[in-house]
């Protein structure tokens, strides 16, 4: 199986006399114009996205169901720690994403997060393989989460008219069909529809939460078991455990850390220098969507806030209306993660063969087989994991600590080594990236401990049986 580090010292001429991007040595003699020219000489052209299409893809990935889980985080942390965590996570997201882009501009041959890890850690084969494992583990579990969520939505919409496993199979099959396009340029079109549907769902949820007489359900029971009045707090309720607070923080950082996909997005832009435009649009949208709707939800749901928060609504018809619009982004976002995952496996299998970039029966056959494998494996994980919510906290601690923080602190070190304090601005930026590294290590240590403790607690109580037909309605 071919990989970037296996081919690094080989530089045969590609079509039109250009060296292929994966065959260039240290990247010093290649630029994006050359890589685009090589790519456009192939039958299947990947480097075709404009920054506007990239913006649509970014928004399609970020405007997701996890936004509706943030009201629960506020109910655990309270207004002050919750909003501060959201603002800090957003600021660090912008800074680390910009550092990531600058590092890729210095190393144009990077095509995914695995290549990023390879170069950031001194062209380490171990770093490449370890990052590849984290990429697949993270993405496949996330796809499994979206399959499970899709099954819950279909249960809710149909009043559990069929076995939940059957609904999960339906979602997985739809995902496979939508994942057939091999370029993210095509997927970005679906992302625009996905983001629009999620925006409608969020708007409906806020309107329903604000106009209904009282919430319907919370983790402490059906209204009014946890109090007839909705209560919000500035700080955590006395007696709230450190594990609960840490998992609420992980729930926030999970939403703000999508950078695992960004190198692949950049690699499929025809002008990667324009990525900051897409990043600025995404950051502006995220600051609004990741803070305002959760705050509105917490204001009207208070201690009854669940994750996702539309499960707290007291009127079933309103809950179904929101769930119907959530179904589209649930499948499309799974498709984005599947595309990135399948590209990594496909690239390892096909290497530099003509099947990797041409419309051949073998190429398309392997692509569809790999995509089917990714969704099938995700389906299994979605069915056997007892609590996907806590496992997402585990992902946030174990993987987002690297993909959202540690990787980019290391990249900053390489970008500015020997000139960390060259001026006031650079000095501040250096201190910020020291903080980035500290946050990453904190998530990897205490954060991982909290996530594991939550999973242990899940297994200690009643858990959802594997491949159960039980009603999974929200």
């Amino acid at each position: 199986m071919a990989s970037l580090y296996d081919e690094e010292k080989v530089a045969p001429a590609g079509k039109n006399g250009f060296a292929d991007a994966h065959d260039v040595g240290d990247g010093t003699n290649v630029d994006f114009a050359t890589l685009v020219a090589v790519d456009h000489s192939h039958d299947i052209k990947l480097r075709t996205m404009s920054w506007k299409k990239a913006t649509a893809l970014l928004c399609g990935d970020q405007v997701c169901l996890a936004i509706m889980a943030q009201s629960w985080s506020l109910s655990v942390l309270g207004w002050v720690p919750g909003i501060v965590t959201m603002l800090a996570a957003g600021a660090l997201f912008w800074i680390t994403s910009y550092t990531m882009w600058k590092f890729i501009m210095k190393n144009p041959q990077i095509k995914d997060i695995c290549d990023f890890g390879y170069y950031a850690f001194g062209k380490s084969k171990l770093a490449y393989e370890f990052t590849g494992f984290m990429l697949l583990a993270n993405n496949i579990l996330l796809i499994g989460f979206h399959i499970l969520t899709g099954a819950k939505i279909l249960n809710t919409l149909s009043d559990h008219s069929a076995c939940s496993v059957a609904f999960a199979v339906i979602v997985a099959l739809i995902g496979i069909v939508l994942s057939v396009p091999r370029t993210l340029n095509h997927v970005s079109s679906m992302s625009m529809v996905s983001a629009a549907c999620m925006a409608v769902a969020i708007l409906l949820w806020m309107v329903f939460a604000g106009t209904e007489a009282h919430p319907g359900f919370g983790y402490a029971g059906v209204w009014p078991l946890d109090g007839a009045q909705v209560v919000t707090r500035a700080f955590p309720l006395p007696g709230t455990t450190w594990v609960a607070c840490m998992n609420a923080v992980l729930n926030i950082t999970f939403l703000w850390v999508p950078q695992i996909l960004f190198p692949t997005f950049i690699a499929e832009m025809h002008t990667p220098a324009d990525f900051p435009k897409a990043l600025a649009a995404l950051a502006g949208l995220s600051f609004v969507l990741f803070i305002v709707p959760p705050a509105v939800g917490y204001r009207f749901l208070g201690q009854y806030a669940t994750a996702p928060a539309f499960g707290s609504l007291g009127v079933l018809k309103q809950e179904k209306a929101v769930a119907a619009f959530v179904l589209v982004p649930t499948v499309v976002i799974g498709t984005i993660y599947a595309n990135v995952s399948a590209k990594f496996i496909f690239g390892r299998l096909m290497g530099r063969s003509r099947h990797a970039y041409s419309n051949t029966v073998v190429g398309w056959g392997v692509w569809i087989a790999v995509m089917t494998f990714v969704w099938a494996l995700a389906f299994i994980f979605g069915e056997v994991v007892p609590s996907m919510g806590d496992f997402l906290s585990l992902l946030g601690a174990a993987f987002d600590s690297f993909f959202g923080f540690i990787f980019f602190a290391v990249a900053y070190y390489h970008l500015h080594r020997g000139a960390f304090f060259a001026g006031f601005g650079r000095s501040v930026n250096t201190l910020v990236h020291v903080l980035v590294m500290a946050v990453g290590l904190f998530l990897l240590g205490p954060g991982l401990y909290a996530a594991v403790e939550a999973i242990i607690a899940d297994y200690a109580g009643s858990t959802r049986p594997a491949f159960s037909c039980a009603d999974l309605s929200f």
Side-chain angles (χ1 to χ4, degrees), residues 410-471:
V410 174
Y412 182 85
Y413 168 80
H414 288 297
L415 285 170
H416 303 293
R417 182 168 46 188
F420 295 131
F421 300 99
F424 177 76
R426 177 69 57 77
S427 298
V428 171
N429 205 12
T430 297
L431 293 177
V432 169
H433 280 82
V434 171
L435 174 63
V436 167
M437 175 62 81
V439 170
L441 294 176
F442 180 78
L443 292 180
L444 187 60
L448 187 59
Y449 169 79
V452 171
E453 284 292 314
I455 292 173
I456 291 173
D458 282 339
Y459 277 101
S462 59
T463 59
R464 177 174 59 90
F467 299 99
S468 171
C469 280
D471 189 357

Side-chain angles (χ1 to χ4, degrees), residues 4 8 109 133 179-180 272 282 311 333 425-426:
L4 187 149
E8 191 177 26
Q109 65 274 35
F133 164 76
S179 300
V180 169
L282 175 65
I333 293 172
R426 177 69 57 77

Side-chain angles (χ1 to χ4, degrees), residues 20-248:
D20 187 84
H22 303 163
D23 303 325
V24 177
D26 60 7
T28 56
N29 296 317
V30 65
D31 56 28
F32 283 109
T34 300
L35 301 183
V36 171
V38 172
D39 175 78
H40 287 193
S41 70
H42 299 142
D43 292 340
I44 297 174
K45 300 169 179 59
L46 300 177
R47 296 178 180 269
T48 56
M49 274 200 302
S50 66
W51 73 266
K52 295 176 183 177
K53 283 290 189 74
T55 301
L57 193 62
L58 291 169
C59 293
D61 174 44
Q62 283 290 79
V63 184
C64 61
L65 183 61
I67 293 171
M68 294 191 189
Q70 304 310 304
S71 294
W72 169 80
S73 293
L74 289 174
S75 73
V76 175
L77 297 172
W79 285 113
V80 176
I83 297 298
V84 168
T85 301
M86 290 175 178
L87 291 172
L92 292 180
F93 158 74
W94 166 262
I95 293 167
T96 54
S97 297
Y98 194 80
T99 297
M100 175 210 66
W101 168 75
K102 289 181 67 176
F103 188 78
I104 292 176
M105 294 301 289
K106 292 279 189 178
N107 299 275
Q109 65 274 35
I110 291 175
K111 66 183 185 301
D112 54 32
I113 194 68
C114 303
D115 291 351
F116 192 99
Y118 171 67
Y119 281 98
F121 289 93
K123 299 182 181 179
S124 166
K125 177 177 179 179
L126 178 62
Y128 183 91
E129 299 293 358
F130 182 60
T131 307
F133 164 76
M134 290 195 294
L135 169 73
L136 294 178
N138 182 82
N139 288 9
I140 289 173
L141 280 172
L142 277 174
I143 298 166
F145 172 75
H146 284 87
I147 292 174
L148 178 62
T149 302
K152 288 184 175 183
I153 292 172
L154 293 177
N155 267 283
T156 301
L157 295 175
S158 69
D159 297 318
H160 188 51
S161 63
C163 174
S164 294
V165 177
F167 285 136
V169 170
I170 291 171
V171 174
L173 290 176
I174 294 173
I176 292 171
V177 172
L178 293 179
S179 300
V180 169
R182 285 165 66 173
T183 68
L184 287 172
N185 191 43
H186 288 87
V187 177
S188 67
S189 300
M190 291 188 284
S191 295
M192 289 187 281
V193 177
S194 170
C197 287
M198 195 67 221
V200 172
I202 292 171
L203 180 61
L204 288 176
W205 159 61
M206 289 192 294
V207 170
F208 293 153
T211 57
E212 67 180 6
H214 57 77
F217 172 80
Y219 287 130
V222 178
W223 182 90
L225 290 179
D226 199 22
Q229 298 296 321
V230 169
V231 177
T232 64
R233 296 178 174 84
F235 294 94
L237 184 69
T240 304
T241 65
W242 181 83
V243 170
C245 289
M246 194 65 230
N247 275 288

Side-chain angles (χ1 to χ4, degrees), residues 309-332:
F310 73 82
S312 300
L313 296 175
V315 181
L316 182 58
K317 289 183 179 179
Q318 294 179 348
E319 186 178 333
K320 286 185 176 182
V322 177
F325 282 98
V326 172
L327 183 60
V328 175
T330 296
V331 179
V332 172

